[in-house]
């Protein structure tokens, strides 16, 4: 069963960065994580390319990269299907994030951070809140990813950062839209600014507690599943 191109969401985060392929990957990744691209639906590269006003080739290449990350899978002669982690897999991803990110943030605070490095993160924290207020879920997700990976990079372990980046990408945060619709997403997004304030005050325990609560959102109200498509195998192509 196929549906019209109206099933393909408007990818509003696309802003024509110098590296168009990178922009496409980041936007599509954010769309998958946030649930804007729905699980079990097949999307064609040409239909998605129309959202970016580009040819299908860079979109197809981007989707191949996302397939390597496990976010989508190729469907022969049709396009790509968004994969859906099981509840158990999401629990495992959250557990790993807790084990890595929470103590790392505490260690960063205890080691001390140059105030200029914290100041560099504040525009990202503000941008996450602005995106939440605008209900721009893809920008919210992409900036959130950038914020947390830059914060964790302060620990000086690039392998740790890439591991967390992969764990976060494989997660799903389907409840963002319902949070935004209820006017609750901005308050949650403000936790990024609160975290920076705690780091500025050298409050390692407070930062650790906030980070633990922040990650917990993923498996709490943020992880609400979207309504299932009428046909689990339906396509959003051609």
């Amino acid at each position: 069963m196929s549906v019209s191109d109206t099933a393909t969401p408007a990818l509003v985060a696309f802003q024509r960065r110098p590296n168009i392929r990178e922009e496409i990957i980041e936007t599509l990744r954010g769309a998958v994580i946030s649930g804007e691209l729905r699980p079990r639906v097949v999307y064609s590269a040409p239909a998605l390319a129309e959202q970016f006003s580009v040819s299908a080739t860079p979109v197809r290449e981007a989707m191949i990269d996302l397939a390597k990350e496990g976010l989508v899978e190729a469907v022969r002669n049709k396009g790509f299907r968004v994969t859906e982690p099981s509840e158990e897999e999401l629990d495992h991803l959250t557990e790993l994030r807790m084990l890595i990110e929470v103590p790392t943030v505490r260690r960063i605070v205890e080691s001390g951070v140059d105030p200029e490095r914290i100041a560099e993160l504040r525009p990202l924290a503000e941008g996450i809140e602005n995106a939440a207020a605008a209900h721009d879920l893809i920008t919210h997700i992409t900036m959130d990813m950038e914020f947390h990976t830059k914060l964790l990079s302060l620990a000086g372990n690039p392998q740790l950062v890439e591991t967390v980046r992969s764990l976060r990408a494989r997660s799903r945060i389907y409840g963002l839209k319902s949070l935004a619709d209820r006017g609750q997403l901005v308050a949650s997004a403000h936790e990024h600014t609160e975290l920076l304030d705690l780091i500025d005050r050298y409050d390692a325990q407070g930062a650790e507690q906030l980070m633990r609560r922040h990650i917990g959102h993923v498996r709490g109200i943020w992880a609400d599943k979207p309504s299932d498509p009428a046909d689990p195998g339906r396509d959003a192509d051609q």
Side-chain angles (χ1 to χ4, degrees):
M1 177 178 179
S2 297
V3 296
S4 68
D5 289 342
T6 57
T8 303
L11 304 177
V12 295
F14 187 62
Q15 298 173 356
R16 289 288 187 183
R17 293 178 184 172
N19 188 330
I20 295 177
R21 188 166 180 269
E22 178 184 347
E23 176 72 10
I24 293 172
I25 291 174
E26 291 298 320
T27 301
L28 291 175
R29 184 186 290 114
V32 172
I33 296 171
S34 67
E36 292 290 280
L37 292 180
R38 292 169 295 175
R40 298 186 302 281
V41 175
V42 177
Y43 294 94
S44 72
L48 291 171
E50 289 183 7
Q51 298 291 327
F52 298 109
S53 298
V54 298
S55 70
T57 298
V59 174
R60 189 173 292 109
E61 291 173 348
M63 294 298 272
I64 290 172
D65 285 344
L66 294 183
K68 294 176 182 177
E69 297 180 18
L71 299 185
V72 301
E73 58 186 3
V75 179
R76 185 168 181 171
N77 298 326
K78 288 190 175 182
F80 297 86
R81 179 186 292 117
V82 176
T83 60
E84 183 176 28
S86 68
E87 292 293 315
E88 183 179 31
E89 288 171 329
L90 290 174
D91 286 338
H92 291 168
L93 292 171
T94 302
E95 181 181 7
L96 287 171
R97 288 188 55 197
M98 288 283 192
L99 290 171
I100 298 173
E101 293 184 64
V102 173
T104 299
V105 167
R106 183 181 185 107
R107 187 169 71 251
I108 288 170
V109 180
E110 290 176 339
S111 299
V113 182
D114 187 332
E116 291 185 1
R117 301 295 300 278
I118 299 302
E120 292 172 359
L121 290 170
R122 289 198 179 275
L124 278 174
E126 181 180 355
I128 293 169
E129 285 193 55
N130 291 339
H135 294 203
D136 185 349
L137 303 185
I138 297 177
T139 296
H140 178 89
I141 288 292
T142 55
M143 295 190 77
D144 180 78
M145 176 80 80
E146 186 176 359
F147 174 92
H148 285 284
T149 52
K150 284 189 174 181
L151 174 61
L152 293 173
S153 71
L154 299 177
N157 186 338
Q159 295 299 320
L160 180 150
V161 173
E162 287 308 308
T163 296
V164 171
R165 187 192 302 275
S166 174
L167 292 172
R168 294 178 66 89
R170 290 157 58 194
S171 299
R172 299 291 190 274
I173 314 180
Y174 297 135
L176 285 181
K177 186 179 187 303
S178 61
L179 273 184
D181 291 343
R182 297 196 303 269
Q184 297 175 348
L185 186 56
V186 174
S188 178
H190 188 65
E191 289 181 351
H192 299 84
T193 295
E194 293 175 3
L195 181 60
L196 295 180
D197 291 341
L198 290 167
I199 296 173
D200 258 343
R201 297 198 298 268
Y202 302 98
D203 186 347
Q205 182 175 353
E208 178 183 27
Q209 292 174 345
L210 178 57
M211 195 66 213
R212 188 178 302 278
R213 184 170 73 250
H214 190 70
I215 295 174
H217 291 323
V218 175
R219 295 303 293 132
I221 54 177
W222 287 17
D224 292 342
K225 283 190 174 183
S227 57
D228 290 337
D231 180 348
R234 73 178 182 175
D235 303 342
D237 58 5
Q238 287 84 16

